[in-house]
mmCIF file of all heavy atoms in Angstrom:
data_model
loop_
_atom_site.group_PDB
_atom_site.id
_atom_site.type_symbol
_atom_site.label_atom_id
_atom_site.label_comp_id
_atom_site.label_asym_id
_atom_site.label_seq_id
_atom_site.Cartn_x
_atom_site.Cartn_y
_atom_site.Cartn_z
ATOM 1 N N LYS A 13 86.207 55.780 33.395
ATOM 2 C CA LYS A 13 86.809 55.516 32.042
ATOM 3 C C LYS A 13 88.293 55.024 32.176
ATOM 4 O O LYS A 13 88.682 54.194 31.480
ATOM 5 C CB LYS A 13 86.643 56.792 31.092
ATOM 6 C CG LYS A 13 85.158 56.997 30.747
ATOM 7 C CD LYS A 13 85.000 58.072 29.711
ATOM 8 C CE LYS A 13 83.583 58.240 29.372
ATOM 9 N NZ LYS A 13 83.089 57.178 28.567
ATOM 10 N N LEU A 55 92.532 56.210 24.927
ATOM 11 C CA LEU A 55 92.129 57.299 25.717
ATOM 12 C C LEU A 55 91.289 58.271 24.824
ATOM 13 O O LEU A 55 90.223 58.729 25.328
ATOM 14 C CB LEU A 55 93.390 58.065 26.164
ATOM 15 C CG LEU A 55 93.114 59.248 27.104
ATOM 16 C CD1 LEU A 55 92.875 58.775 28.476
ATOM 17 C CD2 LEU A 55 94.299 60.247 27.094
ATOM 18 N N LEU A 56 91.719 58.538 23.627
ATOM 19 C CA LEU A 56 90.924 59.464 22.795
ATOM 20 C C LEU A 56 89.581 58.813 22.525
ATOM 21 O O LEU A 56 88.500 59.583 22.476
ATOM 22 C CB LEU A 56 91.690 59.584 21.403
ATOM 23 C CG LEU A 56 92.896 60.500 21.533
ATOM 24 C CD1 LEU A 56 93.710 60.403 20.356
ATOM 25 C CD2 LEU A 56 92.565 61.922 21.895
ATOM 26 N N LYS A 57 89.482 57.528 22.360
ATOM 27 C CA LYS A 57 88.146 56.810 22.108
ATOM 28 C C LYS A 57 87.255 56.944 23.371
ATOM 29 O O LYS A 57 86.001 57.101 23.309
ATOM 30 C CB LYS A 57 88.436 55.426 21.694
ATOM 31 C CG LYS A 57 87.113 54.700 21.195
ATOM 32 C CD LYS A 57 87.495 53.386 20.643
ATOM 33 C CE LYS A 57 86.249 52.698 20.192
ATOM 34 N NZ LYS A 57 86.406 51.367 19.724
ATOM 35 N N ALA A 58 87.847 56.756 24.522
ATOM 36 C CA ALA A 58 87.119 56.843 25.794
ATOM 37 C C ALA A 58 86.606 58.221 26.142
ATOM 38 O O ALA A 58 85.617 58.336 26.861
ATOM 39 C CB ALA A 58 88.018 56.377 26.926
ATOM 40 N N PHE A 59 87.103 59.203 25.673
ATOM 41 C CA PHE A 59 86.769 60.560 25.920
ATOM 42 C C PHE A 59 86.435 61.350 24.543
ATOM 43 O O PHE A 59 87.172 62.240 24.160
ATOM 44 C CB PHE A 59 87.898 61.383 26.637
ATOM 45 C CG PHE A 59 88.095 60.805 28.024
ATOM 46 C CD1 PHE A 59 89.097 59.981 28.230
ATOM 47 C CD2 PHE A 59 87.332 61.138 29.079
ATOM 48 C CE1 PHE A 59 89.396 59.435 29.533
ATOM 49 C CE2 PHE A 59 87.509 60.586 30.388
ATOM 50 C CZ PHE A 59 88.492 59.767 30.522
ATOM 51 N N PRO A 60 85.258 60.860 23.961
ATOM 52 C CA PRO A 60 84.902 61.369 22.675
ATOM 53 C C PRO A 60 84.526 62.861 22.649
ATOM 54 O O PRO A 60 83.957 63.292 23.688
ATOM 55 C CB PRO A 60 83.737 60.474 22.240
ATOM 56 C CG PRO A 60 83.073 60.174 23.524
ATOM 57 C CD PRO A 60 84.357 60.054 24.563
ATOM 58 N N GLY A 61 84.807 63.582 21.605
ATOM 59 C CA GLY A 61 84.593 65.011 21.466
ATOM 60 C C GLY A 61 83.179 65.430 21.671
ATOM 61 O O GLY A 61 82.913 66.516 22.123
ATOM 62 N N GLU A 62 82.169 64.528 21.485
ATOM 63 C CA GLU A 62 80.821 64.929 21.713
ATOM 64 C C GLU A 62 80.480 65.134 23.187
ATOM 65 O O GLU A 62 79.606 65.866 23.540
ATOM 66 C CB GLU A 62 79.855 63.895 21.186
ATOM 67 C CG GLU A 62 79.993 63.382 19.783
ATOM 68 C CD GLU A 62 81.087 62.307 19.745
ATOM 69 O OE1 GLU A 62 80.848 61.243 20.347
ATOM 70 O OE2 GLU A 62 82.014 62.492 19.040
ATOM 71 N N GLN A 63 81.300 64.410 24.004
ATOM 72 C CA GLN A 63 81.022 64.461 25.410
ATOM 73 C C GLN A 63 82.095 65.239 26.251
ATOM 74 O O GLN A 63 81.809 65.728 27.423
ATOM 75 C CB GLN A 63 80.869 63.142 25.994
ATOM 76 C CG GLN A 63 79.735 62.313 25.434
ATOM 77 C CD GLN A 63 79.819 60.842 25.815
ATOM 78 O OE1 GLN A 63 80.515 60.458 26.823
ATOM 79 N NE2 GLN A 63 78.960 60.021 25.305
ATOM 80 N N PHE A 64 83.311 65.302 25.727
ATOM 81 C CA PHE A 64 84.476 65.812 26.419
ATOM 82 C C PHE A 64 85.309 66.679 25.523
ATOM 83 O O PHE A 64 85.436 66.363 24.344
ATOM 84 C CB PHE A 64 85.420 64.597 26.930
ATOM 85 C CG PHE A 64 84.798 63.648 27.886
ATOM 86 C CD1 PHE A 64 84.042 62.560 27.529
ATOM 87 C CD2 PHE A 64 84.791 63.947 29.307
ATOM 88 C CE1 PHE A 64 83.404 61.733 28.470
ATOM 89 C CE2 PHE A 64 84.249 63.074 30.212
ATOM 90 C CZ PHE A 64 83.524 61.975 29.753
ATOM 91 N N TYR A 65 85.954 67.634 26.150
ATOM 92 C CA TYR A 65 87.093 68.296 25.489
ATOM 93 C C TYR A 65 88.257 67.294 25.827
ATOM 94 O O TYR A 65 88.531 66.967 27.102
ATOM 95 C CB TYR A 65 87.468 69.604 26.022
ATOM 96 C CG TYR A 65 88.812 70.049 25.611
ATOM 97 C CD1 TYR A 65 89.058 70.463 24.321
ATOM 98 C CD2 TYR A 65 89.903 69.904 26.455
ATOM 99 C CE1 TYR A 65 90.402 70.702 23.915
ATOM 100 C CE2 TYR A 65 91.214 70.193 26.210
ATOM 101 C CZ TYR A 65 91.474 70.513 24.871
ATOM 102 O OH TYR A 65 92.780 70.823 24.533
ATOM 103 N N CYS A 66 88.937 66.830 24.852
ATOM 104 C CA CYS A 66 90.067 66.058 24.913
ATOM 105 C C CYS A 66 91.134 66.675 23.907
ATOM 106 O O CYS A 66 90.796 66.833 22.775
ATOM 107 C CB CYS A 66 89.807 64.614 24.692
ATOM 108 S SG CYS A 66 91.283 63.468 24.968
ATOM 109 N N HIS A 89 81.653 68.131 28.864
ATOM 110 C CA HIS A 89 80.906 69.314 28.370
ATOM 111 C C HIS A 89 79.593 69.528 29.181
ATOM 112 O O HIS A 89 79.335 70.676 29.560
ATOM 113 C CB HIS A 89 80.480 69.002 26.952
ATOM 114 C CG HIS A 89 81.594 68.940 26.018
ATOM 115 N ND1 HIS A 89 82.565 69.986 25.882
ATOM 116 C CD2 HIS A 89 81.999 68.122 24.962
ATOM 117 C CE1 HIS A 89 83.445 69.711 24.945
ATOM 118 N NE2 HIS A 89 83.064 68.466 24.400
#
Side-chain angles (χ1 to χ4, degrees):
K13 291 188 177 287
L55 184 84
L56 291 167
K57 189 174 180 182
F59 295 97
E62 313 81 63
Q63 298 172 12
F64 296 90
Y65 163 77
C66 182
H89 293 312

